[in-house]
Amino acid sequence: RRLHDTTHLRLKNITFGYNLPTSVLDRTGIFTSARLSLNATNLWTWAKDKAYDPEVRVGGASGTAIPLTKSYAVNVQLQF
């Protein structure tokens, strides 16, 4: 049995959001509120042992693992 040091630091999820001020929305005459946001997942990982991802289970028939994917989302929320 082989043990690995899984010391790691990960930026797993971050969200930035901005609510448009009512002074801007009043000029449109259409929206009562508006919010813009950006969400990112699995952005960065630091690990002592670069060969292993501490959150991915290695095993199965082939003995390999699929790494976690990065994802980005832009959101727009409008209220009328």
Side-chain angles (χ1 to χ4, degrees), residues 2-65:
R2 188 173 169 196
L3 300 177
H4 300 279
D5 183 359
T6 59
T7 301
H8 70 286
L9 181 64
R10 174 166 281 161
L11 181 56
K12 185 80 172 176
N13 190 327
I14 190 164
T15 302
F16 295 104
Y18 179 72
N19 292 319
L20 269 68
T22 54
S23 61
V24 173
L25 296 172
D26 289 343
R27 282 187 246 153
T28 67
I30 300 171
F31 306 113
T32 58
S33 71
R35 178 176 171 77
L36 306 171
S37 61
L38 171 67
N39 185 7
T41 305
N42 296 323
L43 286 182
W44 177 77
T45 301
W46 173 87
K48 278 186 173 182
D49 190 349
K50 304 289 185 211
Y52 296 95
D53 186 329
E55 291 187 22
V56 175
R57 183 176 163 254
V58 177
S62 65
T64 60

